[in-house]
Amino acid sequence: MTSFRMQRINKQMQREISLLLELRVKNETAKHAVITEVDCSRDLENARVYFTTVDPSIRDDVKKSLDSAAGALRTMLGRQLGLRQTPALSFHVDTSEEYGRMMDRLLDSLKTDEPDEPEERDDEKEDYPESEE
């Protein structure tokens, strides 16, 4: 489980990388990335940055652009965050949204034989004889 400090660092890095991509990076292809999550190692040596794009067909080009801008992003990120050590950035495509959609389609395709509300059948009713006292 990630500590509270690491969660804060991950969220702050996600915000800063998104802002840097939007405002400071000149590569237009890299600006198509939507940063979904950052996962730093405990020693702040490495950070896995997960991204997605609106258009799935350009993900490979966006990944190449982000990989080429990783050094500059790390430098700008180090100035913004003020950490003792700025992690090396590695970019990875986030496929969780497609996986979720696939699971939704799979669950929607399943058909159940049982109706939503169970019907009460006559043979399930229990008749208790009245006891004579």
Side-chain angles (χ1 to χ4, degrees):
M1 188 166 154
T2 310
S3 69
F4 180 69
R5 177 178 182 265
M6 289 308 298
Q7 289 175 358
R8 274 193 357 241
I9 290 172
N10 290 338
K11 285 293 182 187
Q12 184 65 29
M13 285 184 66
Q14 180 181 353
R15 280 191 293 269
E16 293 297 332
I17 291 171
S18 295
L19 284 173
L20 289 173
L21 285 174
E22 182 181 338
L23 302 174
R24 305 276 307 272
V25 173
K26 295 178 182 175
N27 188 339
E28 290 298 320
T29 308
K31 290 184 178 189
H32 291 286
V34 178
I35 306 300
T36 57
E37 186 179 357
V38 175
D39 186 24
C40 281
S41 61
R42 290 177 53 88
D43 59 358
L44 294 178
E45 283 286 324
N46 300 306
R48 294 174 66 101
V49 181
Y50 296 95
F51 74 95
T52 189
T53 58
V54 177
D55 184 10
S57 64
I58 62 170
R59 286 192 182 145
D60 292 333
D61 296 332
V62 171
K63 181 169 176 20
K64 289 176 187 175
S65 297
L66 289 173
D67 287 338
S68 67
L73 279 172
R74 182 180 182 187
T75 303
M76 290 185 272
L77 194 62
R79 291 181 187 141
Q80 291 290 326
L81 292 179
L83 293 173
R84 185 176 297 167
Q85 181 174 353
T86 306
L89 304 175
S90 62
F91 292 94
H92 303 276
V93 178
D94 186 6
T95 58
S96 60
E97 186 177 347
E98 287 87 23
Y99 183 75
R101 284 186 194 154
M102 183 184 70
M103 284 294 139
D104 283 341
R105 281 194 303 269
L106 182 65
L107 291 173
D108 288 341
S109 70
L110 295 176
K111 293 183 180 178
T112 59
D113 294 335
E114 298 176 16
D116 290 340
E117 294 180 21
E119 296 178 12
E120 207 174 292
R121 297 186 327 198
D122 290 335
D123 60 343
E124 288 181 354
K125 292 181 183 176
E126 294 184 22
D127 293 329
Y128 294 104
E130 293 181 23
S131 62
E132 295 178 21
E133 291 181 30

